[in-house]
Short mmCIF file of all heavy atoms in Angstrom, two decimals:
data_model
loop_
_atom_site.label_atom_id
_atom_site.label_comp_id
_atom_site.label_asym_id
_atom_site.label_seq_id
_atom_site.Cartn_x
_atom_site.Cartn_y
_atom_site.Cartn_z
N ASP A 1 15.25 62.53 91.97
CA ASP A 1 16.71 62.74 91.84
C ASP A 1 17.15 63.01 90.42
O ASP A 1 18.18 62.42 89.99
CB ASP A 1 17.47 61.45 92.49
CG ASP A 1 18.82 61.81 92.86
OD1 ASP A 1 19.12 63.07 93.13
OD2 ASP A 1 19.63 60.86 92.99
N ARG A 2 16.48 63.86 89.69
CA ARG A 2 16.82 64.14 88.29
C ARG A 2 17.99 65.12 88.26
O ARG A 2 18.68 65.11 87.23
CB ARG A 2 15.60 64.74 87.61
CG ARG A 2 14.41 63.84 87.52
CD ARG A 2 14.72 62.61 86.70
NE ARG A 2 13.49 61.78 86.52
CZ ARG A 2 13.49 60.68 85.87
NH1 ARG A 2 14.62 60.14 85.33
NH2 ARG A 2 12.40 59.98 85.70
N PHE A 3 18.09 66.02 89.23
CA PHE A 3 19.28 66.86 89.35
C PHE A 3 19.65 67.12 90.78
O PHE A 3 18.89 66.84 91.67
CB PHE A 3 19.00 68.25 88.64
CG PHE A 3 17.80 68.99 89.22
CD1 PHE A 3 17.96 69.79 90.36
CD2 PHE A 3 16.53 68.79 88.68
CE1 PHE A 3 16.83 70.45 90.89
CE2 PHE A 3 15.39 69.49 89.25
CZ PHE A 3 15.57 70.28 90.30
N ARG A 4 20.94 67.46 90.92
CA ARG A 4 21.47 67.56 92.32
C ARG A 4 22.13 68.97 92.48
O ARG A 4 22.27 69.74 91.56
CB ARG A 4 22.52 66.48 92.56
CG ARG A 4 21.88 65.11 92.37
CD ARG A 4 22.92 63.99 92.67
NE ARG A 4 22.41 62.64 92.57
CZ ARG A 4 23.08 61.54 92.87
NH1 ARG A 4 24.34 61.66 93.26
NH2 ARG A 4 22.48 60.34 92.87
N VAL A 5 22.66 69.22 93.67
CA VAL A 5 23.45 70.40 93.95
C VAL A 5 24.73 70.34 93.09
O VAL A 5 25.40 69.38 92.96
CB VAL A 5 23.84 70.42 95.47
CG1 VAL A 5 24.77 71.59 95.68
CG2 VAL A 5 22.56 70.56 96.37
N GLY A 6 24.98 71.46 92.45
CA GLY A 6 26.09 71.55 91.46
C GLY A 6 25.74 71.42 90.05
O GLY A 6 26.49 71.80 89.14
N ASP A 7 24.50 70.88 89.77
CA ASP A 7 24.04 70.76 88.36
C ASP A 7 23.55 72.09 87.89
O ASP A 7 23.16 73.00 88.73
CB ASP A 7 22.86 69.79 88.24
CG ASP A 7 23.34 68.31 88.21
OD1 ASP A 7 24.45 68.07 87.76
OD2 ASP A 7 22.51 67.47 88.69
N GLN A 8 23.62 72.38 86.57
CA GLN A 8 23.23 73.62 85.99
C GLN A 8 21.83 73.40 85.32
O GLN A 8 21.71 72.46 84.44
CB GLN A 8 24.26 74.13 84.95
CG GLN A 8 25.53 74.49 85.69
CD GLN A 8 26.56 74.99 84.66
OE1 GLN A 8 26.41 74.88 83.39
NE2 GLN A 8 27.64 75.77 85.20
N ILE A 9 20.83 74.20 85.71
CA ILE A 9 19.48 73.97 85.16
C ILE A 9 18.94 75.28 84.73
O ILE A 9 19.53 76.37 84.90
CB ILE A 9 18.55 73.47 86.36
CG1 ILE A 9 18.43 74.47 87.40
CG2 ILE A 9 19.12 72.15 86.91
CD1 ILE A 9 17.35 74.14 88.48
N GLY A 10 17.86 75.23 84.00
CA GLY A 10 17.22 76.41 83.51
C GLY A 10 15.65 76.14 83.63
O GLY A 10 15.12 75.07 83.30
N VAL A 11 14.95 77.06 84.31
CA VAL A 11 13.53 77.01 84.54
C VAL A 11 12.94 78.42 84.32
O VAL A 11 13.41 79.32 84.97
CB VAL A 11 13.15 76.46 85.91
CG1 VAL A 11 13.92 77.17 87.00
CG2 VAL A 11 11.65 76.47 86.18
N GLY A 12 12.07 78.57 83.36
CA GLY A 12 11.48 79.86 83.08
C GLY A 12 12.61 80.79 82.55
O GLY A 12 13.33 80.41 81.64
N ASP A 13 12.67 81.98 83.04
CA ASP A 13 13.73 82.91 82.77
C ASP A 13 15.00 82.82 83.48
O ASP A 13 15.87 83.62 83.29
CB ASP A 13 13.11 84.36 82.87
CG ASP A 13 11.92 84.60 82.03
OD1 ASP A 13 11.83 84.01 80.93
OD2 ASP A 13 11.04 85.41 82.47
N TYR A 14 15.09 81.82 84.30
CA TYR A 14 16.27 81.69 85.18
C TYR A 14 17.12 80.52 84.79
O TYR A 14 16.63 79.36 84.51
CB TYR A 14 15.91 81.58 86.65
CG TYR A 14 15.01 82.68 87.09
CD1 TYR A 14 13.69 82.56 87.26
CD2 TYR A 14 15.57 83.92 87.38
CE1 TYR A 14 12.89 83.67 87.63
CE2 TYR A 14 14.80 85.01 87.77
CZ TYR A 14 13.47 84.88 87.93
OH TYR A 14 12.75 85.92 88.41
N GLN A 15 18.42 80.72 84.72
CA GLN A 15 19.40 79.65 84.42
C GLN A 15 20.60 79.81 85.34
O GLN A 15 21.07 81.01 85.60
CB GLN A 15 19.86 79.76 82.97
CG GLN A 15 18.83 79.47 82.01
CD GLN A 15 19.36 79.50 80.48
OE1 GLN A 15 20.50 79.97 80.33
NE2 GLN A 15 18.56 79.08 79.57
N GLY A 16 21.11 78.70 85.93
CA GLY A 16 22.21 78.83 86.80
C GLY A 16 22.52 77.52 87.33
O GLY A 16 22.11 76.45 86.91
N THR A 17 23.37 77.52 88.47
CA THR A 17 23.84 76.35 89.11
C THR A 17 23.05 76.12 90.43
O THR A 17 22.86 77.06 91.16
CB THR A 17 25.29 76.48 89.52
OG1 THR A 17 26.06 76.74 88.30
CG2 THR A 17 25.88 75.17 90.11
N VAL A 18 22.58 74.90 90.73
CA VAL A 18 21.83 74.56 91.83
C VAL A 18 22.84 74.68 93.11
O VAL A 18 23.82 73.95 93.16
CB VAL A 18 21.31 73.14 91.77
CG1 VAL A 18 20.56 72.94 93.13
CG2 VAL A 18 20.33 73.06 90.64
N ALA A 19 22.56 75.61 93.99
CA ALA A 19 23.39 75.83 95.19
C ALA A 19 22.86 75.05 96.39
O ALA A 19 23.72 74.51 97.19
CB ALA A 19 23.36 77.29 95.58
N GLN A 20 21.52 74.82 96.52
CA GLN A 20 21.03 74.12 97.67
C GLN A 20 19.60 73.62 97.31
O GLN A 20 18.84 74.34 96.70
CB GLN A 20 20.95 75.03 98.92
CG GLN A 20 20.49 74.34 100.13
CD GLN A 20 20.50 75.25 101.42
OE1 GLN A 20 20.80 76.42 101.24
NE2 GLN A 20 20.20 74.64 102.58
N MET A 21 19.26 72.42 97.82
CA MET A 21 17.91 71.92 97.55
C MET A 21 17.29 71.64 98.90
O MET A 21 17.83 70.87 99.78
CB MET A 21 18.08 70.55 96.78
CG MET A 21 18.60 70.74 95.38
SD MET A 21 18.63 69.21 94.47
CE MET A 21 16.90 68.88 94.33
N GLY A 22 16.25 72.33 99.23
CA GLY A 22 15.50 72.14 100.43
C GLY A 22 14.17 71.56 100.30
O GLY A 22 13.78 71.03 99.16
N LEU A 23 13.37 71.42 101.34
CA LEU A 23 12.09 70.76 101.27
C LEU A 23 11.02 71.66 100.56
O LEU A 23 10.11 71.11 100.00
CB LEU A 23 11.61 70.44 102.66
CG LEU A 23 10.48 69.39 102.82
CD1 LEU A 23 10.75 68.11 102.15
CD2 LEU A 23 10.13 69.12 104.31
N THR A 24 11.12 72.97 100.74
CA THR A 24 10.20 73.84 100.13
C THR A 24 10.68 74.61 98.96
O THR A 24 9.86 75.15 98.12
CB THR A 24 9.61 74.79 101.17
OG1 THR A 24 10.70 75.68 101.69
CG2 THR A 24 8.90 74.04 102.32
N SER A 25 11.91 74.88 98.84
CA SER A 25 12.49 75.68 97.73
C SER A 25 13.86 75.18 97.37
O SER A 25 14.57 74.44 98.09
CB SER A 25 12.55 77.15 98.11
OG SER A 25 13.42 77.35 99.18
N THR A 26 14.30 75.67 96.17
CA THR A 26 15.67 75.30 95.64
C THR A 26 16.37 76.54 95.34
O THR A 26 15.86 77.50 94.67
CB THR A 26 15.55 74.38 94.35
OG1 THR A 26 14.86 73.23 94.79
CG2 THR A 26 16.90 74.11 93.81
N SER A 27 17.63 76.64 95.83
CA SER A 27 18.42 77.87 95.66
C SER A 27 19.28 77.67 94.35
O SER A 27 19.97 76.71 94.19
CB SER A 27 19.35 78.16 96.86
OG SER A 27 18.58 78.26 97.99
N VAL A 28 19.23 78.64 93.47
CA VAL A 28 19.93 78.56 92.22
C VAL A 28 20.81 79.90 92.11
O VAL A 28 20.27 80.94 92.28
CB VAL A 28 19.01 78.52 91.04
CG1 VAL A 28 19.74 78.62 89.70
CG2 VAL A 28 18.23 77.21 91.05
N ARG A 29 22.11 79.69 91.86
CA ARG A 29 23.00 80.82 91.63
C ARG A 29 23.08 81.03 90.12
O ARG A 29 23.66 80.20 89.42
CB ARG A 29 24.42 80.47 92.21
CG ARG A 29 25.33 81.70 92.15
CD ARG A 29 26.61 81.38 92.91
NE ARG A 29 27.49 82.55 93.08
CZ ARG A 29 28.43 82.88 92.18
NH1 ARG A 29 28.63 82.15 91.11
NH2 ARG A 29 29.13 83.96 92.38
#
């Protein structure tokens, strides 16, 4: 539980807001 939906994260070349967290993938806007 380090970050949640609505948090802004950056991983690799992608930065944005977490839109949804699933069991296999995480959606980032």
